[in-house]
Amino acid sequence: MATTDDTDALAGTLRRTVVELVRRDGHDLSARQFGVFLICYLESEAQTVRGLAEALDISKPAISRALDRLSEFDLVKRKIDPQDRRSVLLQRTPPGNAFFREVKAILKIAANPPEPARARPRARAKAAAD
């Protein structure tokens, strides 16, 4: 069971990650778009619109709108399933792979932030004198 300290640390990691993603130049994804993107890149099997809708518990039209945006950014590609032409498979793309590597690097830094700089001895002494 997670402790309050654990959940606070996770929330801090999430905040630092999101802030860094917002600050960088590049694609600005909504939480829904980012969720769809992560499922596509974290799951080993090919994803379908139907499967994503079930996994996220949202409608297929909502998934389609998120995929439209991800496709605009060339982060995923739609492909007709050769086994079932009624189904659409989602494919990863080279730009999507690069973005995923960037997200993982940002997350790694956010999970292990550098220690804050300590005040210099003179500054501490001056503060104590005041």
Side-chain angles (χ1 to χ4, degrees), residues 17-37:
T17 300
V18 170
V19 166
E20 189 57 36
L21 286 169
V22 168
R23 286 180 177 161
R24 65 179 259 300
D25 286 334
H27 312 303
D28 191 14
L29 302 179
S30 70
R32 177 172 292 160
Q33 293 160 358
F34 197 58
V36 169
F37 173 82

Side-chain angles (χ1 to χ4, degrees), residues 41 74-75 77 92-101:
Y41 280 81
D74 196 25
L75 298 176
K77 240 164 103 170
R92 298 172 183 167
T93 63
N97 285 322
F99 179 61
F100 187 53
R101 282 191 304 274

Side-chain angles (χ1 to χ4, degrees), residues 31-110:
R32 177 172 292 160
Q33 293 160 358
F34 197 58
V36 169
F37 173 82
L38 287 175
I39 290 173
C40 290
Y41 280 81
L42 287 170
E43 299 294 327
S44 58
E45 67 272 356
Q47 298 299 308
T48 63
V49 173
R50 181 181 301 120
L52 287 168
E54 290 172 8
L56 293 170
D57 195 25
I58 59 177
S59 69
K60 288 192 289 186
I63 293 294
S64 291
R65 286 190 300 275
L67 290 172
D68 288 344
R69 190 72 165 159
L70 293 172
S71 294
E72 280 178 37
F73 294 143
D74 196 25
L75 298 176
V76 296
K77 240 164 103 170
R78 290 177 169 112
K79 178 184 174 190
I80 300 296
D81 184 349
Q83 307 291 341
D84 179 0
R85 298 195 44 83
R86 297 170 296 167
S87 187
V88 174
L89 297 175
L90 302 171
Q91 293 183 313
R92 298 172 183 167
T93 63
N97 285 322
F99 179 61
F100 187 53
R101 282 191 304 274
E102 185 177 354
V103 168
K104 289 192 298 185
I106 289 169
L107 186 56
K108 184 176 182 178
I109 293 167

